[in-house]
Amino acid sequence: MNTSSSSLTQAQKAIQAARSIVIFTGAGMSAESGVPTFRDAMTGLWARFPAEALATYDAYIRDPELVWGWYEWRRSKILGTMPHAGHCAIAEFSQRHESAVLVTQNVDNLHERAGSADVLHLHGSLFAPRCIDCSQPGAFSDEHPQEPEGGRRIAPPRCKSCNGLLRPGVVWFGESLPQKEWQHAKVAAEKCDLMICIGTSGLVYPAAGLPATAVRNGATLIQINPDETPLNAIAHFNLHGSARNVLPKLLRNR
Ligand code: BJW
Ligand code: ZN
C-alpha cells in the first residue's frame, strides 16, 4: 500500500466522526478474490469480447448460447472464489454500524458470503436468472459448473412457466437499474455524511454518479483504488492501494 499513514489516519478520523455512511463497491473490490474486473488492460473481462458483444439484450437475442455460456463461465469462476479480508472488514464494520448502507455494482455474491446483509445490488446478480418473456425467476442447481476458460456455447435453460428463454439476472447496457435498489442507493448517497468508494472506474452511469451526489450534498468522500479514476478529482481522501490491503486497516475497530 502506498497510502501515507497520515492520510489513512485522517480518513479513519473522518469515519469515526461520521453518522451516516455509504460504502460503494465496484469490480476492483473482488479482484483480489480472483474475479476479473471489466476494464483492466489484458485481464479485464472485456479484453477479448467488446462489451456490446456480450452485455446487451440485443447481443443475447442475437446469440443466446454465446452469451449464456460466457455468463455460466463467470458464475463457475465466482463459485470457486472466496471473499477476502476487505469483504470481511466491510461485513464486520456494518455489524458495528448498523445504519451503514452497502451499495455494490458487483454481480458476484462475495459481500453476502463474507457476512454482509441487505446489500443493494445496482447491476443485479449472476445468481438470479429470470425469464425474458414473463420475468419469472429461474433457479440453478446446487452443482458447481466447471466451465473452460472464457466459456463455451451453452443453450440457456427454459422457463418452467412459459418455456421462454432464461437470461442472466444482471443489468445490461441500455437497461434500467432495479428501481427499488436504485432509489434506496440514491437517497442514501444524498443523505450520507461520508461515502467510501472502493474499486470502481467511475465510468458507468447512473451508478457512477453516486459519489458526486454525496459530495454535492456535503459528504466526505474516501476512495480506495490503486489507480487514478475520475473520482480522484472530487475525493477528499484518495487511498492508493488495494481493497484487501487498505480496508482492514481503514475500518478496524479501535
Ligand atoms: C482495484 C483493485 C483492487 C483493480 N482494489 N481497486 C453516455 C454518457 C452517460 C451514460 C451513457 C452514455 N452512453 C450510454 C450511457 C449509459 C450506460 C453507460 O454508463 N455507459 C458508459 C460506459 C458510457 N449505462 C447504462 O446503460 C445503464 N442503464 C441506464 O443508463 O439506463 C437508462 C437508459 C435506459 C434506456 C436507454 C439508455 C439508458 C446500465 C449500466 C449497466 C452496467 N452493467 C455492467 C455489466 C453487468 C453485467 C455483467 O456483469 O456482465 O455492470 S457494465 C460493467 O461496468 C458492470 C459493472 O458493474 C460496471 C462498472 O464497472 P466497475 O465496477 O467500475 O469496474 P471496472 O472494471 O470499470 O473498474 C475496476 C476498478 O477497480 C478500476 O478503477 C481499477 O483500478 C480498480 N481496481 N484492482 C481496488 N485490488
Ligand atoms: Zn416465462
Side-chain angles (χ1 to χ4, degrees), residues 186 189-190 192 205 209-221 234 236:
K186 203 155 70 89
E190 283 162 2
C192 72
Y205 284 82
L210 290 176
T213 298
V215 170
R216 219 174 23 250
N217 285 277
T220 300
L221 181 63
I234 60 165
H236 300 85

Side-chain angles (χ1 to χ4, degrees), residues 108-155:
D108 61 48
N109 53 5
L110 289 171
H111 283 305
E112 283 87 348
R113 282 168 61 197
S116 287
D118 303 325
V119 186
L120 294 175
H121 281 269
L122 296 185
H123 292 162
S125 164
L126 280 179
F127 299 91
R130 67 173 187 276
C131 174
I132 60 165
D133 292 325
C134 73
S135 298
Q136 181 95 346
F140 290 114
S141 76
D142 289 339
E143 273 169 42
H144 176 173
Q146 302 292 337
E147 295 300 329
E149 193 61 20
R152 66 191 163 103
R153 300 180 70 79
I154 302 176

Side-chain angles (χ1 to χ4, degrees), residues 6 10 29 31 62 80 107 139 162 175 181 207 217 244-245 252:
S6 66
Q10 293 304 313
M29 179 74 224
R62 208 164 33 240
V107 297
C162 77
E175 294 186 323
E181 283 83 352
N217 285 277
R244 189 177 63 185
N245 281 329
R252 77 173 156 231

